Protein backbone atom coordinates (compact mmCIF):
# COMPACT_ATOMS: atom_id res chain seq x y z
CA UNK A 1 0.00 0.00 0.00
CA UNK A 2 2.82 2.48 0.73
CA UNK A 3 4.17 1.99 -2.77
CA UNK A 4 0.79 2.98 -4.24
CA UNK A 5 0.66 6.02 -1.97
CA UNK A 6 4.15 6.99 -3.15
CA UNK A 7 3.20 6.46 -6.81
CA UNK A 8 0.08 8.63 -6.58
CA UNK A 9 1.58 11.03 -3.99
CA UNK A 10 -1.16 10.43 -1.41
CA UNK A 11 0.64 11.95 1.55
CA UNK A 12 -2.21 11.38 4.01
CA UNK A 13 -2.35 7.67 3.23
CA UNK A 14 1.43 7.41 3.35
CA UNK A 15 1.58 9.14 6.73
CA UNK A 16 -1.06 6.79 8.15
CA UNK A 17 0.71 3.72 6.80
CA UNK A 18 4.07 4.86 8.14
CA UNK A 19 2.56 5.63 11.56
CA UNK A 20 1.12 2.11 11.70
CA UNK A 21 4.20 0.36 10.28
CA UNK A 22 7.40 2.44 10.19
CA UNK A 23 9.35 -0.45 8.65
CA UNK A 24 7.31 -0.02 5.46
CA UNK A 25 9.59 2.90 4.59
CA UNK A 26 12.34 0.35 3.87
CA UNK A 27 10.24 -2.39 2.29
CA UNK A 28 10.49 -3.45 -1.34
CA UNK A 29 7.57 -4.44 -3.56
CA UNK A 30 7.42 -7.73 -5.50
CA UNK A 31 9.52 -6.13 -8.25
CA UNK A 32 12.22 -5.04 -5.81
CA UNK A 33 11.37 -1.32 -5.78
CA UNK A 34 11.27 0.80 -2.65
CA UNK A 35 8.58 3.42 -2.11
CA UNK A 36 11.41 5.97 -2.12
CA UNK A 37 12.50 4.85 -5.58
CA UNK A 38 8.93 5.08 -6.86
CA UNK A 39 8.44 8.57 -5.43
CA UNK A 40 11.74 9.67 -6.98
CA UNK A 41 10.77 8.28 -10.39
CA UNK A 42 7.46 10.16 -10.25
CA UNK A 43 9.12 13.40 -9.07
CA UNK A 44 7.14 13.61 -5.82
CA UNK A 45 9.52 15.72 -3.74
CA UNK A 46 7.24 16.05 -0.71
CA UNK A 47 6.80 12.27 -0.62
CA UNK A 48 10.58 11.83 -0.82
CA UNK A 49 11.04 14.03 2.24
CA UNK A 50 8.32 12.15 4.13
CA UNK A 51 9.83 8.76 3.35
CA UNK A 52 13.35 9.85 4.24
CA UNK A 53 12.11 11.32 7.53
CA UNK A 54 10.39 7.98 8.23
CA UNK A 55 13.65 6.06 7.80
CA UNK A 56 13.79 5.17 4.11
CA UNK A 57 17.38 4.50 3.02
CA UNK A 58 18.45 6.44 -0.07
CA UNK A 59 21.34 3.98 -0.49
CA UNK A 60 19.09 0.92 -0.51
CA UNK A 61 19.61 -1.09 -3.66
CA UNK A 62 16.62 -1.78 -5.89
CA UNK A 63 16.20 -4.78 -8.12
CA UNK A 64 15.10 -2.60 -11.03
CA UNK A 65 17.51 -2.52 -13.94
CA UNK A 66 17.58 0.25 -16.56
Amino acid sequence: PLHYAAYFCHSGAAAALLAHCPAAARAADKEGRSALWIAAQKGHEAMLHMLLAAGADARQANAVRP
Side-chain angles (χ1 to χ4, degrees), residues 16-37:
L17 290 164
L18 290 167
H20 179 69
C21 183
R26 295 176 301 282
D29 67 6
K30 65 181 179 179
E31 295 177 18
R33 302 172 298 188
S34 67
L36 186 67
W37 186 87

Side-chain angles (χ1 to χ4, degrees), residues 27-54:
D29 67 6
K30 65 181 179 179
E31 295 177 18
R33 302 172 298 188
S34 67
L36 186 67
W37 186 87
I38 292 171
Q41 289 291 26
K42 299 301 288 179
H44 300 315
E45 188 174 344
M47 184 65 66
L48 291 171
H49 290 290
M50 178 186 298
L51 292 167
L52 288 168

